[in-house]
Amino acid sequence: MLKDIPGGIYPTMITPYTTDNKIDYNAVEQLLAWYAERGVDGIFAICQSSEIFFLSFEERLDLLKFIMAHKPANTAIVASGHVADDLDRQIYEAKAFADTGIDAYVFISNRFASPDESDDVLIKNMERAADALPEVSLGVYECPHPYKRLLTPYVLQKMAQTGKYQFLKDTCCDLTQLKQKLDAVKGTDLKIFNANSATLLDSLKLGCAGFSGVMANFHPEIYAKLYKIYKDDPAKAEILQDFIGFFSVAECQCYPVNAKYYLSLEGLDINPDSRSRSKAELTPSRQAEIKQMRALTKLFEKKYL
């Protein structure tokens, strides 16, 4: 039986490194505990935030095995991890990741078809992937690298009809498109998780199942609170939305380096080293911005959480 994917808040998990550029498993374990303490419902592991395009297949698989061995109780784990262009290789890697016991394996939309290929090609490859993995729930992530492939309502209908796809990490950042996508999968098991902070509250009202985005590496507790109260306390929900929407500009700074720096301020033994960006981008001015964001987050939480 396929696992059901609960709604809620799913941080896109970062990968900490040691100063000699190896995965820092001590910091990974601390990060898992930090997420859990802040009330997240699940974790999106081995994704772009995890720097999968800069990790070997063996590193990606070993990291996921460690996450599954140390995952917090009552926390769903969905994971991606394939970076190949060849579909057979993608399926091979997906099977290895799925064998770790994750709740869902998440394919990357731009790996199903190249920029010049039609949605029909994407659908054919998507269905082939579903047939090859009969015993695991699946998802799709509209990853922006190496190019962004947004899924149309027509593609989502086909995806939902397989009965296998239960998770979409949506990156369109547009409420009109989100409404069309939600209408296309209404009544199916496919849940749409918004990656965009600024539109989160409105997207929840439209029917999105939750949030899966980079800003849950900074203050996931505020996202968790918003998700829990948006129906019953709309006035407070608007205040929380204003906060997360404004501070999501941190995405445009030097992520994931800045997220690692924020987490170090939280007391985690994480350094700002990254394979995807230079930590030199985290200038003293940018460090000051992150420190000030965290200080305001703590003041805000005292009043509203």
Side-chain angles (χ1 to χ4, degrees):
M1 180 179 291
L2 300 180
K3 295 181 181 179
D4 181 58
I5 308 304
I9 307 305
Y10 286 65
T12 51
M13 189 172 185
I14 62 169
T15 299
Y17 300 104
T18 61
T19 53
D20 58 351
N21 201 32
K22 295 181 174 64
I23 295 174
D24 187 340
Y25 285 102
N26 175 62
V28 172
E29 189 171 1
Q30 291 180 41
L31 181 56
L32 289 168
W34 186 84
Y35 287 143
E37 290 165 2
R38 279 147 187 82
V40 306
D41 302 279
I43 295 169
F44 185 5
I46 324 298
C47 56
Q48 189 182 13
S49 286
S50 314
E51 304 180 64
I52 58 173
F53 293 95
F54 300 86
L55 299 172
S56 70
F57 169 67
E58 291 75 20
E59 285 178 317
R60 285 175 267 139
L61 183 56
D62 287 347
L63 176 56
L64 184 56
K65 287 178 179 178
F66 184 90
I67 290 168
M68 293 303 296
H70 297 83
K71 79 180 189 73
N74 303 315
T75 303
I77 305 292
V78 303
S80 189
H82 65 289
V83 298
D85 293 320
D86 178 72
L87 185 61
D88 288 332
R89 179 65 190 184
Q90 292 181 49
I91 292 170
Y92 170 83
E93 294 187 359
K95 286 180 177 179
F97 297 132
D99 285 345
T100 64
I102 55 177
D103 293 275
Y105 184 76
V106 183
F107 283 97
I108 295 174
S109 58
N110 63 45
R111 304 289 82 194
F112 278 146
S114 61
D116 59 344
E117 290 180 319
S118 69
D119 279 350
D120 289 333
V121 172
L122 187 152
I123 291 168
K124 179 181 177 181
N125 289 332
M126 175 192 71
E127 291 174 342
R128 182 178 159 200
D131 290 341
L133 294 158
E135 297 180 358
V136 61
S137 298
L138 300 176
V140 174
Y141 165 30
E142 294 174 337
C143 179
H145 181 82
Y147 85 99
K148 182 182 281 195
R149 180 100 184 199
L150 296 178
L151 301 183
T152 65
Y154 171 71
V155 170
L156 287 175
Q157 282 182 330
K158 292 293 186 181
M159 184 189 305
Q161 287 169 5
T162 67
K164 294 292 305 297
Y165 289 93
Q166 297 191 22
F167 179 97
L168 172 68
K169 182 180 186 302
D170 186 279
T171 65
C172 73
C173 308
D174 181 274
L175 287 170
T176 299
Q177 291 185 56
L178 268 173
K179 176 66 165 58
Q180 293 169 347
K181 291 180 174 184
L182 288 162
D183 288 344
V185 301
K186 188 174 182 179
T188 74
D189 293 331
L190 178 56
K191 296 182 174 74
I192 297 179
F193 291 76
N194 191 358
N196 179 247
S197 298
T199 58
L200 179 57
L201 178 57
D202 285 337
S203 74
L204 292 173
K205 293 176 182 177
L206 288 174
C208 278
F211 176 78
S212 183
V214 305
M215 291 307 297
N217 286 299
F218 293 85
H219 32 232
E221 61 275 16
I222 300 180
Y223 286 82
K225 183 70 171 183
L226 173 60
Y227 178 74
K228 290 174 182 175
I229 61 99
Y230 80 92
K231 291 181 180 177
D232 298 328
D233 194 346
K236 180 179 281 190
E238 291 287 352
I239 295 170
L240 299 180
Q241 175 58 59
D242 288 344
F243 182 92
I244 64 169
F246 175 76
F247 278 107
S248 68
V249 296
E251 291 184 48
C252 305
Q253 200 202 57
C254 53
Y255 180 83
V257 172
N258 59 355
K260 295 177 182 185
Y261 180 65
Y262 187 99
L263 290 164
S264 73
L265 298 176
E266 287 281 284
L268 279 69
D269 188 18
I270 292 179
N271 65 62
D273 289 295
S274 168
R275 294 184 186 177
S276 61
R277 301 189 75 150
S278 170
K279 64 182 179 182
E281 294 183 62
L282 190 69
T283 61
S285 175
R286 285 177 164 174
Q287 291 179 38
E289 291 169 1
I290 296 302
K291 285 181 179 178
Q292 291 161 18
M293 180 178 78
R294 181 173 178 271
L296 286 174
T297 297
K298 300 307 175 186
L299 286 173
F300 183 85
E301 290 175 353
K302 287 180 181 179
K303 184 173 178 62
Y304 292 108
L305 263 60

